[in-house]
Amino acid sequence: MQAALSLFDLSGKTALVTGCDKGIGKAYAIALAEAGTDIIGASRSLEKGSAIEKEITALGKKFTAYKVDLGDKDDLYRFIQKVKEESSTIDILVNNAGTIMRKPAAEHPDEYWDKVIDVNLNAQFILAREFGKDMIGKGSGKIVFTCSMLSYQGGINVPGYTASKSAVAGLAKALANEWAGKGVNVNGIAPGYIATGNTQALREDAVRSKSILDRIPANRWGTPDDLKGAIVFLCSNASAYVNGTILNVDGGWMAR
């Protein structure tokens, strides 16, 4: 039996984190490195020598950067092939990268819908399938999706985002049903209202911001660092018997 604290030790593991250069994804990558993992980072804007690379290497961990457009399927498959050729194994996949496009449903154009679904759902499934099959082959692995409060609720002016995040929560459960017995834990984290670029428009809208804060029992917007404990838990042996769960980190939003 492992001692409690050792259950969270991720030394010797390698984690692929998408959308790792800012916001929640950056907090995920740092937390996993602090717990012992080397990081393979990917995003559309990631460059070698980035701030996140410097932070990870300062922790004594290896960081490998890849630039990929998850909305471009050809680029996505090229990225997957390159990672598999250049990395010995992926122990942890954090499917975090996403996008949001705001416009009322009656005015929401096809290009908004298609872009959000491609990045937030289609790419997530492809990454999970392609790296998940390797995890199944070795009998172990962890996959974590970034879900949302809009995995449960409808939201306003973001129909594509809501559809994608509702689907991702379902995808995590579907994959868990198939893969839990094969040594692969698949779960999700649903952040509450976190102060990132995705929520800037809401925070700058005095009426919407007040209505949101009035509902949060913790009485504050969350920060990316509030997600660090959750990601380490779901990527470690501490969650060995956790499958198909969406872990809310929301300041109590869903309890209201």
Side-chain angles (χ1 to χ4, degrees):
M1 182 180 296
Q2 281 186 270
L5 287 180
S6 71
L7 291 170
F8 296 89
D9 183 10
L10 294 172
S11 298
K13 303 292 187 182
T14 298
L16 169 56
V17 184
T18 65
C20 69
D21 53 340
K22 58 187 176 182
I24 291 170
K26 184 176 181 180
Y28 284 163
I30 291 171
L32 292 172
E34 288 172 339
T37 66
D38 291 324
I39 302 295
I40 296 174
S43 84
R44 189 175 60 181
S45 58
L46 190 62
E47 301 286 354
K48 290 186 177 180
S50 64
I52 183 61
E53 179 171 349
K54 292 174 181 176
E55 291 188 57
I56 297 299
T57 55
L59 293 168
K61 307 313 296 182
K62 182 180 177 182
F63 184 90
T64 307
Y66 291 93
K67 194 171 184 178
V68 58
D69 181 355
L70 297 183
D72 180 333
K73 195 169 287 187
D74 290 336
D75 195 34
L76 175 60
Y77 277 109
R78 280 193 294 269
F79 160 71
I80 292 169
Q81 185 60 37
K82 192 170 185 182
V83 170
K84 291 192 178 194
E85 289 173 354
E86 297 179 352
S87 302
S88 58
T89 186
I90 302 296
D91 303 293
I92 297 162
L93 170 63
V94 181
N95 254 330
N96 168 72
T99 190
I100 188 167
M101 305 195 77
R102 301 178 187 276
K103 191 161 275 221
E107 304 164 17
H108 209 81
D110 287 354
E111 55 266 30
Y112 277 28
W113 176 273
D114 291 344
K115 181 176 180 178
V116 171
I117 296 298
D118 280 342
V119 173
N120 291 9
L121 179 59
N122 295 341
Q124 312 297 314
F125 172 66
I126 291 169
L127 286 164
R129 182 188 66 205
E130 294 304 309
F131 290 107
K133 65 177 67 173
D134 296 337
M135 294 176 182
I136 291 169
K138 66 190 180 83
S140 67
K142 301 277 188 174
I143 298 175
V144 180
F145 291 90
T146 295
C147 301
S148 169
M149 294 295 95
L150 299 191
S151 296
Y152 308 105
Q153 301 171 321
I156 299 171
N157 297 331
V158 288
Y161 184 83
T162 299
S164 70
K165 291 300 185 178
S166 297
V168 161
L171 178 59
K173 296 171 187 177
L175 296 181
N177 286 342
E178 293 191 36
W179 296 351
K182 299 176 181 179
V184 181
N185 296 81
V186 185
N187 294 287
I189 295 174
Y193 285 86
I194 308 296
T196 66
N198 274 1
T199 60
Q200 183 175 351
L202 292 177
R203 287 181 285 117
E204 292 176 349
D205 183 327
V207 174
R208 289 292 307 283
S209 183
K210 183 179 185 304
S211 70
I212 288 167
L213 284 174
D214 284 347
R215 177 174 165 161
I216 300 173
N219 196 35
R220 67 175 176 87
W221 286 78
T223 70
D225 280 358
D226 288 320
L227 284 299
K228 291 174 77 173
I231 193 65
V232 171
F233 169 63
L234 289 179
C235 292
S236 70
N237 284 337
S239 60
Y241 199 56
V242 179
N243 299 279
T245 290
I246 310 302
L247 176 57
N248 298 335
V249 183
D250 63 352
W253 175 272
M254 289 302 296
R256 274 285 171 92

